[in-house]
Amino acid sequence: MGKKGVSLLLVLALCLSIALPAAALPADVPEGAWYAEAASYVLDAGIMDEAADGFAPKSEIDQRTLLQSLVRLTEAEGEYEQALDAYGYSETEMRATVSRLELASRFYGQLASLDILYAEAALDRFADAASVPADAVDKVRAVVGAGLIGGRTDGRLDLDTAATRAELAAVHYKISLLTNDKQAGTVALVDRYGNLTLDLFSQNLFNAGFALGDMLTISIGGREIDAPFCTSYSDVDTGNPVVRAAAGLGTSRVIIAINMGNFAETYAIAEGAPVSLKVKEAGAYFTEWEIRQLTRTNNREDYASDAIFANFRNVAIGGIREGTLYRSSSPVNNEIGRASYADALSAAAGIATVINLANSEEELQEYFAQEDFRSPYYKELYDAGKVICLSMGVDFQADDFQEKLKRGLEFMLENDGPYLIHCTEGKDRAGFVIALLEALMGAGAEAIEEDYLETYINYYDVDPASEQYRRIGDSNILASLRYIAGLDKGADLTGVDLVKAAENYLAGLGLDAARIEELKAVLS
C-alpha cells in the first residue's frame, strides 16, 4: 500500500482545472467517449495542447508531449522549454515514442509523492503478465492498483505498445480526481441491495481530513443521517447506516449503505441525487470500528481444512437431525475462490436440495459458462431441478426478502433432504435463514449465536474469548433474533420463547400452521 506526501504539482493541476472555464471539445472527441472528460480536463487546465487536427486521441505520444504535460503542472507559461531542457534529452530523444510501460514508470514516480491510499494490484489476472520486466513489476503493480493504467478489453496489459494522447490525458485526469478534497457529489449508482455508490473517491474524504472511525453526517434527500466512516458493512450493527471506504483504500468509491438493509428504499434515494458529507465528531466511532476489523485470505493453504475454508458445516442443534441441514459459502459463484471446495463437500454429504439465497437463474448460467467453473455436482442438481435461485437482497426486513424466503422454504418442503442453504459467503443471508430454522427447532440463543460465529472463526480466526467475538454476535445474529421475536434493539433474549417467535415469523410470511409443522418434520 502506498502512502506518501502530497505533491504540489498535482495540487496546482487541480487549481488550474478549477480556474479555467470549460472549453468545447474538439470535433474528434465524441461525446461519451471513455476519454472525453479527461480530454476536457487536460485542455482546460493547459496540461496538453490540441494537435493540428483536433485532440488526436489515438495518436501516439512522444517524450516531448509526455514531459511537457508534466512540467506544465508547475511551470509558468514561457518557461516550459527551459524546464524541458533540464531533462537533458536531445531533439531525437524528445521525438521518441513513449510506450505504455514507460508511461506507467513515469507516473509511478508521480504516484510515489502523493498521499493516496492504494493497494498494489496482482498482475496474474492479465494474460501477458509474464512479459512485464522484472525491474518494472512493482511500478506496474502500483499504477494499476491506483487505477491510473488498466488492461485492454482482451485482458492484456499491452505495455510494449505506444501510449496514446487519450491514455496520457486519462492518467492526468484520474490523478486530479484523487487529489481533490470534495465532500459533496451525487449518487452514481444504486445497486441491487440499495447501497449507494457516490461519484466521490474515499481519498477525497481523506484529503479533507476525514478519518476512519469518525462519525459523519450525511445530507441527502432533504435529510441528515448520522453514520460512522468505516471499511465494511458489518462495521455497524444490523439495520444501521454506514459510510464505507472499501478496504480502507482511497481509490475506492464512497459507498453509503445500511448493514443488512436497503438504504435507497429506506430513504427514497435514486441515482443522481445530490449528497454531501461532513464530520460530526472526529474519532467518535474509532474504538468500535477497531474492534470489528476482520481480515481473511482466499488461499486454501491458509486454512486447516476444506470445510473450514468453504465455511461448510452440518447444522444439528436444537431438534435438527444430524445430516439433514447444511450451510456453506457458494458452491457455484467462485468470486471468493471456494466454489469447487463447497461443491465437493456437498457431494460428499449427499446434498439433494439447494436453496441459493444469493443468485438469479441468469447469474447461474454465467457461472456455468466461466472458464474456472469446477462445480459439477451443483450443475447436476440444478439440471435435475433441485436448486432454487432466490436472488435475495440483504435486508431481511424487506417484503421482497420475506416473499422469497417463503418460496425457498416451500421448495424445501417439496423436495427431499439433505438440504444446503447458501448465499455467497454463507454468512449474512444464510446466517439469518439458518438462525430462523434453528430457533424453530428449539435451539437457544446461545447455541444459535455460537453456530453463526463459527463462520467468523472459520473466515477470520476470531477468538471466542475476545470482546470482538461478543460484539459481532450481539450486533448481528442476536439483533436478528430480536427482530424475529419482535423485541427492541438490545433487548435481553433470556427467557424468550424462540420457537413461538419463529412460528409467528413464519406465519407472517404466509405459511399456515400445517406447513410450519411440516417444516419441523422434515428437519427433525
Side-chain angles (χ1 to χ4, degrees), residues 100 122-132 140 144 150-159 371:
R100 281 168 53 83
L123 302 182
D124 54 7
R125 62 189 171 93
F126 298 104
D128 57 348
S131 67
V132 179
V140 175
V144 173
R152 302 294 197 191
T153 55
D154 63 2
R156 296 179 304 122
L157 280 166
D158 199 21
L159 296 176
E371 289 186 8

Side-chain angles (χ1 to χ4, degrees), residues 227-296:
F229 190 29
C230 299
T231 52
S232 175
Y233 300 111
S234 59
D235 286 338
V236 297
D237 290 354
T238 295
N240 285 358
V242 63
V243 179
R244 286 190 66 208
L249 299 177
T251 50
S252 62
R253 294 284 184 173
V254 176
I255 296 173
I256 298 176
I258 293 175
N259 182 26
M260 295 295 289
N262 188 309
F263 193 100
E265 287 188 2
T266 300
Y267 296 106
I269 304 299
E271 291 179 7
V275 58
S276 65
L277 301 162
K278 64 182 179 181
V279 176
K280 179 178 182 179
E281 187 176 356
Y285 197 78
F286 183 79
T287 300
E288 182 70 20
W289 171 76
E290 192 172 40
I291 287 173
R292 296 172 186 250
Q293 293 320 288
L294 303 168
T295 58
R296 73 155 188 241

Side-chain angles (χ1 to χ4, degrees), residues 383-411:
D383 290 341
K386 300 301 181 181
V387 178
I388 186 170
C389 298
L390 296 175
S391 189
M392 296 164 73
V394 295
D395 182 2
F396 55 75
Q397 301 184 42
D399 291 342
D400 180 72
F401 184 101
Q402 296 179 1
E403 290 166 5
K404 290 176 177 177
L405 175 55
K406 177 176 181 285
R407 284 175 47 207
L409 296 176
E410 289 173 337
F411 187 76

Side-chain angles (χ1 to χ4, degrees), residues 232-441:
S232 175
Y233 300 111
S234 59
D235 286 338
V236 297
D237 290 354
T238 295
N240 285 358
V242 63
V243 179
R244 286 190 66 208
L249 299 177
T251 50
S252 62
R253 294 284 184 173
V254 176
I255 296 173
I256 298 176
I258 293 175
N259 182 26
M260 295 295 289
N262 188 309
F263 193 100
E265 287 188 2
T266 300
Y267 296 106
I269 304 299
E271 291 179 7
V275 58
S276 65
L277 301 162
K278 64 182 179 181
V279 176
K280 179 178 182 179
E281 187 176 356
Y285 197 78
F286 183 79
T287 300
E288 182 70 20
W289 171 76
E290 192 172 40
I291 287 173
R292 296 172 186 250
Q293 293 320 288
L294 303 168
T295 58
R296 73 155 188 241
T297 77
N298 292 329
N299 302 318
R300 168 61 186 88
E301 58 268 25
D302 295 331
Y303 297 79
S305 70
D306 289 353
I308 290 174
F309 180 58
N311 193 32
F312 184 98
R313 61 186 179 275
N314 180 212
V315 178
I317 64 173
I320 301 176
R321 185 176 71 255
E322 184 80 25
T324 300
L325 182 64
Y326 292 80
R327 60 185 296 174
S328 83
S329 59
S330 177
V332 65
N333 174 4
N334 200 37
E335 69 176 90
I336 59 173
R338 289 159 166 80
S340 64
Y341 296 91
D343 185 67
L345 291 162
S346 297
I351 296 300
T353 299
V354 177
I355 294 85
N356 180 336
L357 305 176
N359 302 123
S360 65
E361 297 276 353
E362 293 75 20
E363 287 172 328
L364 244 61
Q365 295 302 325
E366 292 176 4
Y367 300 146
F368 293 155
Q370 289 175 355
E371 289 186 8
D372 66 349
F373 178 71
R374 301 289 186 276
S375 303
Y377 188 72
Y378 198 98
K379 180 68 161 55
E380 181 182 325
L381 289 174
Y382 175 81
D383 290 341
K386 300 301 181 181
V387 178
I388 186 170
C389 298
L390 296 175
S391 189
M392 296 164 73
V394 295
D395 182 2
F396 55 75
Q397 301 184 42
D399 291 342
D400 180 72
F401 184 101
Q402 296 179 1
E403 290 166 5
K404 290 176 177 177
L405 175 55
K406 177 176 181 285
R407 284 175 47 207
L409 296 176
E410 289 173 337
F411 187 76
M412 285 181 64
L413 294 176
E414 294 160 4
N415 292 276
D416 295 332
Y419 305 100
L420 173 67
I421 295 177
H422 77 85
C423 47
T424 301
E425 297 179 326
K427 178 166 63 73
D428 297 320
R429 285 165 286 189
F432 178 85
V433 176
I434 292 292
L436 173 65
L437 297 178
E438 290 169 336
L440 178 68
M441 298 304 292

